[in-house]
């Protein structure tokens, strides 16, 4: 299984949370596209708040079920629940990685949730290579004009 970083853009690159399992694009790209456009109703900032800010220790796996409890539990490893390391049985400390830290940690894929697209990167010798950039399939008018969306603070 490949590892991933779920990230947001920063002036110097990106920063985000580690995801231990299921990080390959053939699985996680579609899941993130559906999550942002359907579960988060096109609000990329809300998706970032959930995937990055609300789960500071990172993820065991993002399974796609955004309605169930997120904490890691051994009995839920095979479910579709999103299993994080900061809630549930593990209670791990926060772990934020930037582009350098992600490369050093051996992250296979970085998924940067940009305002208007999902950017997928993979590490190369001297940085990160952009594999592809996929526009969000549907963004409401308010999301296209981000100045209309109030700031979202992490819970």
């Amino acid at each position: 299984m490949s590892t991933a970083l779920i990230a947001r853009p920063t002036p110097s690159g990106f920063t985000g949370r580690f995801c231990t399992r299921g990080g390959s694009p053939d699985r996680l790209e579609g899941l993130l596209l559906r999550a942002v456009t359907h579960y988060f109703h096109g609000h990329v900032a809300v998706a970032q708040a959930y995937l990055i800010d609300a789960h500071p220790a990172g993820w065991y796996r993002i399974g796609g079920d955004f309605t169930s409890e997120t904490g890691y539990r051994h009995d839920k490893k095979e479910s579709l629940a999103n299993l994080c390391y900061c809630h549930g049985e593990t209670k791990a400390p926060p772990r934020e990685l930037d582009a350098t830290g992600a490369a050093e940690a051996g992250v296979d894929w970085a998924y940067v949730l940009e305002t208007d697209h999902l950017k997928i990167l993979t590490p190369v010798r001297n940085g990160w290579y952009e594999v592809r950039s996929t526009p969000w399939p549907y963004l409401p008018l308010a999301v296209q004009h981000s100045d209309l969306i109030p700031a979202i603070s992490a819970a």
Side-chain angles (χ1 to χ4, degrees), residues 99-119:
T100 302
E104 290 171 354
V107 168
D108 298 307
W109 303 96
Y111 297 85
V112 183
L113 284 71
E114 302 269 357
T115 303
D116 59 349
H117 65 281
L118 176 64
K119 185 187 298 184

Side-chain angles (χ1 to χ4, degrees), residues 59-81:
W59 297 94
Y60 171 75
R61 180 196 64 237
I62 298 173
D65 180 356
F66 290 87
T67 61
S68 63
E69 190 176 330
T70 58
Y72 180 86
R73 296 182 317 275
H74 291 288
D75 64 327
K76 294 292 183 185
K77 282 174 58 173
E78 303 307 318
S79 73
L80 293 178

Side-chain angles (χ1 to χ4, degrees), residues 12-141:
S12 61
F14 55 84
T15 186
R17 306 295 181 201
F18 189 76
C19 182
T20 306
R21 301 188 53 85
S24 64
D26 63 334
R27 180 189 171 282
L28 198 51
E29 178 182 17
L31 193 150
L32 290 171
L33 289 169
R34 284 188 306 279
V36 169
T37 56
H38 297 290
Y39 182 76
F40 297 109
H41 305 287
H43 297 285
V44 178
V46 176
Q48 291 170 338
Y50 173 83
L51 293 165
I52 301 167
D53 303 328
H55 300 283
W59 297 94
Y60 171 75
R61 180 196 64 237
I62 298 173
D65 180 356
F66 290 87
T67 61
S68 63
E69 190 176 330
T70 58
Y72 180 86
R73 296 182 317 275
H74 291 288
D75 64 327
K76 294 292 183 185
K77 282 174 58 173
E78 303 307 318
S79 73
L80 293 178
N82 299 326
L83 304 177
C84 70
Y85 286 119
C86 43
H87 302 95
E89 295 173 0
T90 55
K91 308 261 192 272
R95 182 179 185 198
E96 185 170 29
L97 297 172
D98 62 8
T100 302
E104 290 171 354
V107 168
D108 298 307
W109 303 96
Y111 297 85
V112 183
L113 284 71
E114 302 269 357
T115 303
D116 59 349
H117 65 281
L118 176 64
K119 185 187 298 184
I120 302 173
L121 306 124
T122 192
V124 292
R125 187 175 181 95
N126 296 317
W128 290 84
Y129 171 76
E130 185 175 328
V131 175
R132 71 179 149 271
S133 181
T134 306
W136 302 115
Y138 166 74
L139 290 179
L141 183 59

